[in-house]
Amino acid sequence: MQIISRSVKDTLNIGRHIVKNLQKGDIICLFGKFGAGKTVLTKGIAMGLGIAKDKIISPSFVLIREYDLAKIPLYHFDLYRMEKEKDILGLGYEDYLNTQGIAVIEWADKLKELLPREYLKIRLEIIGKDIRKVTIRGMGKRYAGYNSLGWAK
Ligand SMILES: Nc1ncnc2c1ncn2[C@@H]1O[C@H](COP(=O)(O)OP(=O)(O)OP(=O)(O)O)[C@@H](O)[C@H]1O
Ligand SMILES: [Mg+2]
């Protein structure tokens, strides 16, 4: 599914909308260059979970932040500064996945072989100053429903 975002607000709304279809334990992997809107989308997801968007910080100097303020915790990874995959294994990375929370991973391409078997894949592309193309694709059976989902803002 592809959606064109024409503003930060649109991207926040996409994040909020995604939450409606999430289940505890879901993993969302975000792909896209600097400034593509990965953190903005994460803020939208946080809002959907009942976490204030200003609590979500970027750039982060740590690989993971936990937001346990909501009913469903959010595990926000920003792997930009990760040098080796084993760096996150030391943080118990895999313990955060498929739990009672939602995991959102920025720069998920850095995971390489640690990429989960199933996840919700979201790619953000810069089309123009305020325009982003957001491509959402369910990878694996658990997320297959996203590939036939209609979209209503
Ligand atoms: N439609 C849009 N959706 C999201 N962000 C937008 C949009 N239009 C403009 N922007 C701007 O693009 C930037 C997106 O920044 P953001 O921090 O979310 O990117 P990022 O992908 O997380 O980058 P990084 O790789 O540095 O973490 C912000 O400055 C935001 O104001
Ligand atoms: Mg970011």
Side-chain angles (χ1 to χ4, degrees):
M1 177 174 46
Q2 283 188 352
I3 308 154
I4 297 293
S5 162
R6 298 185 184 279
S7 63
V8 166
K9 199 172 161 209
D10 274 358
T11 302
L12 291 172
N13 281 333
I14 292 167
R16 291 166 73 173
H17 192 85
I18 287 165
V19 172
K20 293 185 191 155
N21 298 292
L22 287 179
Q23 308 171 42
K24 287 178 181 172
D26 276 353
I27 306 164
I28 302 165
C29 290
L30 303 182
F31 298 82
K33 296 180 183 158
F34 294 113
K38 301 180 294 296
T39 300
V40 171
L41 188 72
T42 305
K43 287 182 183 197
I45 291 169
M47 288 162 79
L49 292 171
I51 302 165
K53 70 175 190 311
D54 56 6
K55 294 255 190 310
I56 309 294
I57 307 162
S58 178
S60 68
F61 291 90
V62 290
L63 297 178
I64 173 149
R65 290 177 191 275
E66 289 183 52
Y67 301 94
D68 224 333
L69 312 156
K71 274 178 283 181
I72 301 179
L74 174 66
Y75 306 119
H76 178 199
F77 292 84
D78 187 333
L79 304 184
Y80 180 66
R81 287 177 183 79
M82 181 177 75
E83 285 171 11
K84 295 191 189 75
E85 294 92 279
K86 72 170 171 30
D87 294 351
I88 53 168
L89 288 177
L91 295 174
Y93 158 70
E94 285 172 315
D95 300 339
Y96 287 104
L97 310 181
N98 307 306
T99 61
Q100 292 300 301
I102 302 289
V104 175
I105 307 173
E106 290 191 46
W107 291 99
D109 33 340
K110 291 214 163 201
L111 287 171
K112 296 177 185 158
E113 67 270 25
L114 288 181
L115 207 64
R117 202 170 50 82
E118 299 187 294
Y119 58 95
L120 185 63
K121 181 174 189 174
I122 305 183
R123 177 172 299 283
L124 292 118
E125 289 167 79
I126 303 175
I127 302 296
K129 188 178 156 292
D130 294 321
I131 306 178
R132 303 290 184 269
K133 182 161 89 181
V134 184
T135 308
I136 303 178
R137 182 160 172 225
M139 305 296 283
K141 208 170 156 195
R142 177 178 173 119
Y143 301 92
Y146 283 92
N147 298 330
S148 53
L149 206 66
W151 189 265
K153 253 194 227 160

Short mmCIF file of all heavy atoms in Angstrom, two decimals, residues 38-39 58-59 78 106-107, ligand 2:
data_model
loop_
_atom_site.label_atom_id
_atom_site.label_comp_id
_atom_site.label_asym_id
_atom_site.label_seq_id
_atom_site.Cartn_x
_atom_site.Cartn_y
_atom_site.Cartn_z
N LYS A 38 11.01 9.22 9.51
CA LYS A 38 10.89 8.02 10.35
C LYS A 38 10.52 8.38 11.78
O LYS A 38 9.65 7.74 12.39
CB LYS A 38 12.22 7.23 10.34
CG LYS A 38 12.65 6.77 8.94
CD LYS A 38 13.97 6.00 8.95
CE LYS A 38 15.18 6.81 9.36
NZ LYS A 38 15.53 7.92 8.43
N THR A 39 11.17 9.44 12.29
CA THR A 39 10.85 9.83 13.67
C THR A 39 9.46 10.46 13.75
O THR A 39 8.72 10.22 14.71
CB THR A 39 11.93 10.77 14.24
OG1 THR A 39 13.18 10.08 14.21
CG2 THR A 39 11.63 11.18 15.67
N SER A 58 14.55 12.76 18.74
CA SER A 58 15.46 12.40 17.65
C SER A 58 16.40 13.58 17.42
O SER A 58 15.99 14.72 17.53
CB SER A 58 14.68 12.12 16.38
OG SER A 58 15.55 11.83 15.33
N PRO A 59 17.64 13.42 17.09
CA PRO A 59 18.30 12.12 17.01
C PRO A 59 18.60 11.56 18.39
O PRO A 59 18.80 12.32 19.33
CB PRO A 59 19.60 12.43 16.27
CG PRO A 59 19.89 13.84 16.61
CD PRO A 59 18.58 14.52 16.81
N ASP A 78 16.64 3.43 17.40
CA ASP A 78 17.21 4.22 16.32
C ASP A 78 18.61 3.67 16.11
O ASP A 78 19.51 3.88 16.92
CB ASP A 78 17.25 5.70 16.71
CG ASP A 78 17.67 6.57 15.53
OD1 ASP A 78 18.40 6.06 14.65
OD2 ASP A 78 17.28 7.74 15.49
N GLU A 106 13.97 2.41 13.69
CA GLU A 106 14.46 3.30 12.64
C GLU A 106 15.79 2.75 12.12
O GLU A 106 16.56 2.20 12.87
CB GLU A 106 14.70 4.72 13.18
CG GLU A 106 13.42 5.45 13.53
CD GLU A 106 13.63 6.94 13.81
OE1 GLU A 106 14.34 7.61 13.04
OE2 GLU A 106 13.06 7.42 14.80
N TRP A 107 16.05 2.97 10.85
CA TRP A 107 17.27 2.45 10.20
C TRP A 107 17.31 0.92 10.31
O TRP A 107 18.37 0.34 10.58
CB TRP A 107 18.55 3.08 10.79
CG TRP A 107 18.68 4.53 10.45
CD1 TRP A 107 18.34 5.59 11.27
CD2 TRP A 107 19.12 5.11 9.21
NE1 TRP A 107 18.57 6.78 10.60
CE2 TRP A 107 19.05 6.51 9.35
CE3 TRP A 107 19.57 4.57 8.01
CZ2 TRP A 107 19.41 7.39 8.32
CZ3 TRP A 107 19.93 5.44 6.98
CH2 TRP A 107 19.84 6.83 7.15
MG MG B 2 14.87 9.69 13.08
#
